[in-house]
Amino acid sequence: MTSHVEETLVLVKPDGVARNLTGQVLARIEAKGYTITDLRMLVPTREMLVRHYEEHEGKPFFEPLVEFMGSGPVVAVRVRGQRVIEGFRSLAGATEPTTAAPGTIRGDLGRDWGEAVQKNLVHGSDSTLSAERELAIWFG
Ligand code: IDP
Ligand code: MG
């Protein structure tokens, strides 16, 4: 069997930190069996966020997204495991918390607040390329 041990970037977004859900997110990652290999809390700069979300530049939710992500502390987590990139995306659930499946972080803990940006508690890298790029932004 092929080994795909890899690392992903997880962010507990400002809504997750403000709602005191950081522990629950970390607990779900650990309970699943993945390993947290680095972690930091910071208020990201606009420059970091524009780089992080470069694929979304020009979309109607881009400015609200950057503003929201810079509105308070974020917990950045480096997570390691076999197929963890795909595995954490599955734990996080769909982008829209209203329809994210129950059992997922977004489905269990999130909801729509009627704002220009979906506040959905967590970010997870979506590919090995994104993970490497994003980990460099958040952990240098
Ligand atoms: P993902 O976080 O599930 O990978 P992306 O499409 O990469 O979703 O979008 C990045 C973030 O931008 C989402 O997590 C969400 O906070 C926000 N977002 C994405 N699409 C929309 C939208 O259509 N309306 C409002 N906010 C959105
Ligand atoms: Mg994404």
Side-chain angles (χ1 to χ4, degrees), residues 4-10 29 32 34-35 79-90 125:
H4 288 286
V5 176
E6 56 192 15
E7 287 189 325
T8 193
L9 173 75
V10 171
I29 292 169
K32 178 83 173 170
Y34 297 132
T35 306
V79 186
R80 188 173 172 83
Q82 180 86 4
R83 294 176 67 192
V84 67
I85 294 171
E86 186 185 355
F88 180 77
R89 297 274 297 180
S90 176
S125 309

Side-chain angles (χ1 to χ4, degrees), residues 13-94:
K13 296 182 177 184
D15 58 330
V17 174
R19 291 181 54 208
N20 296 319
L21 295 172
T22 303
Q24 290 201 44
V25 172
L26 299 182
R28 284 174 183 231
I29 292 169
E30 293 192 319
K32 178 83 173 170
Y34 297 132
T35 306
I36 293 170
T37 57
D38 204 351
L39 180 148
R40 64 187 290 228
M41 179 183 265
L42 71 162
V43 179
T45 64
R46 182 182 167 88
E47 191 215 333
M48 286 171 72
L49 294 169
V50 167
R51 279 175 68 200
H52 177 82
Y53 282 122
E54 66 181 15
E55 75 196 273
H56 296 304
E57 219 171 333
K59 295 183 187 170
F61 61 85
F62 181 74
E63 275 305 325
L65 176 61
V66 167
E67 194 176 313
F68 158 57
M69 289 296 294
S71 67
V74 168
V75 173
V77 195
R78 185 189 285 270
V79 186
R80 188 173 172 83
Q82 180 86 4
R83 294 176 67 192
V84 67
I85 294 171
E86 186 185 355
F88 180 77
R89 297 274 297 180
S90 176
L91 275 186

Side-chain angles (χ1 to χ4, degrees), residues 13 53 55-56 59 61 65 68-69 89 93-96 106 115-120 122-124 126:
K13 296 182 177 184
Y53 282 122
E55 75 196 273
H56 296 304
K59 295 183 187 170
F61 61 85
L65 176 61
F68 158 57
M69 289 296 294
R89 297 274 297 180
T95 305
E96 262 197 274
R106 289 162 168 176
E115 296 174 19
V117 60
Q118 287 289 352
K119 295 182 172 171
N120 55 12
V122 290
H123 165 85
D126 64 8

